[in-house]
Amino acid sequence: MIKILMIEDDAELAEILTEYLAQFEIEVTNIEDPFLGLSTLNTQKFDLVILDLTLPGLDGLEVCKDIRKRYDIPIIISSARHDITDKVEALERGADDYMPKPYNPRELEARIRSLLRRKSNDFASSQSKAKPKPKDIQVDEKQQLITLKGEPLNLTKAEYGILKYLAQKEGGVVSREELIYNVEAISEESSNKSIDVIVGRIRQKLGEVPKDPTYIHSVRGVGYKFTQ
């Protein structure tokens, strides 16, 4: 049985594709929310990802980039966005194929098999593992030390506590209030603004580019999400 993760917010299309592909021993798990989709990929094994670009809360191009950064798994973009810029950017961010909607489900099934064949998989029974790449940031709780690519970071207690907590919640959205109440070095009287200031210092020490962060991503109106 081939197992596929589909991240698609069009429930009707997802149901049609799921039922069609089931005829060919292809099991589809559809997730409408991109953040939940990434979390599901982190906890379950899939052979391939079918990804829409227009998603609620997070653009599909960012999802594609995140998946490719962490996993060696085939990605097919399934999108109504026909602009050549989107196609090129999707391929540059790690997509293996791009299918403009609408398309015939039969073609999708053929492309799935073609991709898996190129990956030297036995598409009738394989369940390829999505293997995480070595993590840049490592937390050593015994020594209360965090390293970036093997080099120790010079962090204050508050910075260490926040970065450790975000790393422990990797892939999940963490609110500022959650950080205030769960990081010992942060006073419960601290404001959301003070959390933002500390996170800003952590980003500087990580060498983050503000407009295109690698590790700590802002989630508007909520808090932060850590990925690597």
Side-chain angles (χ1 to χ4, degrees), residues 2-228:
I2 296 171
K3 293 195 174 184
I4 289 179
L5 173 65
M6 182 185 297
I7 304 177
E8 167 66 68
D9 68 339
D10 185 334
E12 183 177 353
L13 174 62
E15 183 177 356
I16 291 172
L17 294 177
T18 298
E19 292 180 357
Y20 180 83
L21 293 174
Q23 303 174 72
F24 302 93
E25 295 189 355
I26 299 176
E27 178 183 307
V28 177
T29 298
N30 185 62
I31 305 293
E32 297 184 15
D33 180 87
F35 295 106
L36 182 56
L38 289 170
S39 297
T40 301
L41 185 60
N42 192 45
T43 58
Q44 299 183 39
K45 300 173 185 176
F46 295 97
D47 299 295
L48 183 142
V49 174
I50 299 173
L51 174 64
D52 186 20
L53 291 187
T54 305
L55 296 167
L58 185 64
D59 188 81
L61 291 172
E62 289 301 315
V63 179
C64 181
K65 178 183 176 183
D66 198 355
I67 293 173
R68 179 54 66 234
K69 184 168 62 175
R70 291 192 281 164
Y71 305 105
D72 180 21
I73 186 170
I75 302 171
I76 296 177
I77 299 297
S78 165
S79 177
R81 283 156 56 172
H82 293 189
D83 191 283
I84 187 63
T85 303
D86 287 322
K87 294 180 181 180
V88 171
E89 191 167 357
L91 294 171
E92 288 178 343
R93 293 194 181 203
D96 297 279
D97 202 351
Y98 194 109
M99 295 189 66
K101 297 176 183 175
Y103 51 77
N104 191 308
R106 178 69 182 84
E107 180 182 358
L108 176 62
E109 187 264 340
R111 294 199 185 202
I112 289 170
R113 295 195 182 278
S114 176
L115 268 179
L116 293 180
R117 191 161 52 244
R118 276 187 269 159
K119 290 287 184 179
S120 299
N121 288 333
D122 181 2
F123 54 79
S125 61
S126 69
Q127 295 182 6
S128 300
K129 294 181 180 180
K131 298 179 181 179
K133 297 179 180 179
K135 295 184 177 181
D136 293 343
I137 296 174
Q138 300 286 341
V139 179
D140 186 336
E141 294 192 45
K142 288 185 178 179
Q143 298 187 49
Q144 293 194 329
L145 177 69
I146 298 179
T147 58
L148 172 64
K149 297 180 179 179
E151 295 296 323
L153 293 169
N154 183 18
L155 302 171
T156 65
K157 288 185 178 181
E159 292 166 357
Y160 168 81
I162 287 178
L163 184 53
K164 183 185 76 170
Y165 192 84
L166 289 173
Q168 289 172 339
K169 299 290 184 177
E170 182 175 353
V173 178
V174 177
S175 69
R176 295 172 178 84
E177 291 78 11
E178 187 176 347
L179 290 171
I180 291 173
Y181 292 121
N182 288 279
V183 176
E184 292 183 2
I186 301 295
S187 168
E188 292 189 4
E189 285 73 38
S190 298
S191 65
N192 287 346
K193 181 64 177 177
S194 65
I195 295 297
D196 292 339
V197 170
I198 297 172
V199 170
R201 295 202 304 262
I202 296 171
R203 282 171 160 165
Q204 288 180 343
K205 294 179 180 181
L206 292 174
E208 296 267 57
V209 178
K211 291 185 178 180
D212 188 22
T214 303
Y215 307 110
I216 302 177
H217 307 265
S218 297
V219 180
R220 182 175 295 180
V222 182
Y224 300 97
K225 179 169 75 80
F226 178 88
T227 62
Q228 64 168 329

